[in-house]
Amino acid sequence: MDYKVMDDAELIKLYINGEEKALSALINKHEQRIFSYILSKIQNRDLANDVFQDVFVKIIKVFRSGRYNEEGKFLNWALRISHNLVIDHFRKQKRIPTISNKDDFDIFDIVKDSAEDVETGMIREQIEKDLHRLILELPPEQLEVLKLRHFSGLSFKDIADQTGVSINTALGRMRYALINLRKLMEQHNVSLSLS
Amino acid sequence: MDKTTILENNNHVNARPDRQTIANILNFSKAYRHEKTKSGIEIELIQN
């Protein structure tokens, strides 16, 4: 069977039906694009190999569970998984305690660590996406107060005037918005923290 | 006149994973089993 002429959907179908070589062909077809993406973010070949492996373990599990949606493009989906696992990697890394240099001179005091900027930026971007998705699930009156307070920077008096309610009601809505947001974070297993 | 040439590091663009990584993935694939019981419980197995 010539796997090279097959498209992704055909390879995936064959693999799900038990043809292991189809997975090998699928990896071979996309490994460069996926690995390059991971390596460009992580900047460490060994760690990038670990993340690449985790990406395909996840992909295999989805294929075997029958949850793969054929409508989407495989590469885009695989890159989305890669992106999420890169973020998970940085999150885990930030939780690992590091030994600080006890000498007076530390090269890292003067050398700018650009990788730190990339990872912090990626996590922040993900947090913003998660937050945006979650706040849209809030009841409209709570969403309105949250937006006016945090995104428009209005005082509670201004919010009360603008929405035609008392200050106490505006404060109450804000309180419930935050309580509900915490519940939604738990339900969706979302962490909105850089650490 | 400044004739400095800036060389960009584009090593990542054509990078490929190690062959051992690919072998690990293919071995995992061969060993991994996913089954669903009649009662709807999903079971993951790693076979030797």
Side-chain angles (χ1 to χ4, degrees):
Chain A
M1 209 175 297
D2 190 0
Y3 296 109
K4 284 182 183 168
V5 296
M6 291 184 186
D7 64 24
D8 293 346
E10 288 173 301
L11 289 170
I12 292 164
K13 201 173 174 185
L14 276 172
Y15 173 68
I16 290 170
N17 289 330
E19 188 74 45
E20 288 285 336
K21 284 180 184 170
L23 177 68
S24 184
L26 192 68
I27 295 172
N28 189 46
K29 192 173 169 186
H30 297 295
E31 62 177 20
Q32 187 177 317
R33 186 77 194 279
I34 295 169
F35 187 74
S36 298
Y37 173 76
I38 296 167
L39 186 58
S40 72
K41 301 296 177 195
I42 291 186
Q43 307 270 327
N44 176 308
R45 207 180 149 81
D46 288 337
L47 292 174
N49 269 288
D50 287 346
V51 173
F52 182 86
Q53 191 170 306
D54 289 344
V55 168
F56 272 91
V57 163
K58 208 157 196 171
I59 287 170
I60 288 165
K61 287 184 174 184
V62 173
F63 284 162
R64 290 282 176 79
S65 68
R67 285 196 295 266
Y68 179 66
N69 173 16
E70 267 187 274
E71 288 167 20
K73 281 191 177 174
F74 171 75
L75 182 59
N76 290 346
W77 175 63
L79 286 171
R80 249 191 343 266
I81 294 174
S82 307
H83 178 81
N84 290 337
L85 290 186
V86 166
I87 287 169
D88 284 351
H89 159 78
F90 286 137
R91 279 183 173 152
K92 276 182 210 157
Q93 205 179 42
K94 278 180 182 288
R95 284 200 290 269
I96 297 170
T98 52
I99 300 161
S100 59
N101 196 331
K102 298 290 180 199
D103 295 340
D104 287 343
F105 176 75
D106 187 340
I107 188 69
F108 292 108
D109 288 340
I110 51 169
V111 176
K112 192 175 180 303
D113 185 358
S114 62
E116 177 72 12
D117 292 340
V118 171
E119 70 193 56
T120 306
M122 284 183 74
I123 296 170
R124 196 179 298 283
E125 189 186 310
Q126 187 65 41
I127 287 172
E128 283 169 8
K129 277 184 193 166
D130 289 341
L131 181 62
H132 187 254
R133 187 163 50 86
L134 290 183
I135 64 170
L136 291 178
E137 291 189 32
L138 289 173
E141 67 279 3
Q142 291 171 21
L143 175 61
E144 187 180 31
V145 175
L146 189 80
K147 277 183 174 174
L148 291 172
R149 179 71 183 148
H150 282 286
F151 299 104
S152 306
L154 264 59
S155 68
F156 280 106
K157 186 182 179 308
D158 290 339
I159 294 170
D161 290 345
Q162 199 165 318
T163 56
V165 296
S166 69
I167 293 178
N168 274 343
T169 303
L171 282 165
R173 284 178 179 175
M174 186 66 199
R175 184 168 168 266
Y176 281 112
L178 295 175
I179 290 169
N180 285 330
L181 202 53
R182 272 192 210 108
K183 283 183 191 165
L184 286 166
M185 280 165 61
E186 282 171 17
Q187 278 170 19
H188 294 271
N189 199 20
V190 165
S191 166
L192 301 178
S193 165
L194 275 170
S195 57
Chain B
M1 193 186 216
D2 187 2
K3 297 244 180 193
T4 308
T5 304
I6 298 167
L7 296 172
E8 286 186 21
N9 179 8
N10 283 328
N11 290 339
H12 298 145
V13 176
N14 296 314
R16 285 182 184 272
D18 296 345
R19 291 305 95 190
Q20 185 57 50
T21 304
I22 305 294
N24 292 345
I25 294 166
L26 298 177
N27 285 338
F28 172 81
S29 171
K30 283 176 193 153
Y32 179 76
R33 294 285 172 273
H34 180 281
E35 287 166 18
K36 201 169 184 177
T37 63
K38 283 178 186 171
S39 53
I41 299 167
E42 294 189 37
I43 301 168
E44 291 178 285
L45 300 165
I46 302 288
Q47 288 184 335
N48 285 325

